[in-house]
Amino acid sequence: DEADVASHLATTAERYALLVAADVFIYVGALEAVFAGARRVLRPGGVFCFSAERSADEAGDFRLLASGRYAQSASYLRRLAGAHGLEVLQIDEQPIREDQQRPVAGLIVTLRRAGG
């Protein structure tokens, strides 16, 4: 859960060239602590890649869906990246999985820490 991810990123002595989270943030609403931790542990030039369920509400940051999963907006993810010194390399809109044989709208995000 978010506390585990954020706690690890906030306390580990490890530094990483690559962080990957696939289908993780659907269980986490607010990602501020995760982005702060990712920035802390990424080496200069390190890359942070993740998927997110796409929120149709670009005016909002994230929302809890009827499915019990969270969806984040692309604008929220861009804003978090900028606030935490991460360059947006790419945000692709594409299905991230199927739910009851219907594609689920998603975002595949690739960020990079400056300095590399």
Side-chain angles (χ1 to χ4, degrees):
D1 71 331
E2 182 231 350
D4 292 340
V5 171
S7 176
H8 173 75
L9 294 174
T11 60
T12 185
E14 296 292 325
R15 295 299 177 260
Y16 303 97
L18 176 65
L19 295 175
V20 178
D23 231 15
V24 172
F25 299 147
I26 60 172
Y27 303 109
V28 183
L31 297 176
E32 285 81 0
V34 172
F35 272 62
R39 167 64 174 85
R40 189 183 88 74
V41 302
L42 277 173
R43 295 179 184 146
V47 175
F48 179 26
C49 300
F50 60 91
S51 65
E53 195 158 326
R54 182 176 59 83
S55 174
D57 178 14
E58 279 298 314
D61 293 344
F62 62 91
R63 62 188 184 124
L64 181 61
L65 305 172
S67 65
R69 296 184 175 111
Y70 287 96
Q72 287 89 10
S73 68
S75 59
Y76 173 59
L77 299 174
R78 286 182 189 282
R79 196 168 57 254
L80 283 177
H84 292 93
L86 301 169
E87 174 189 3
V88 176
L89 297 179
Q90 196 163 354
I91 297 181
D92 288 328
E93 291 189 23
Q94 58 184 296
I96 56 170
R97 70 177 169 287
E98 287 189 356
D99 187 14
Q100 300 194 17
Q101 299 181 332
R102 293 194 325 222
V104 174
L107 301 167
I108 306 298
V109 181
T110 307
L111 310 174
R112 179 174 53 208
R113 181 179 167 197

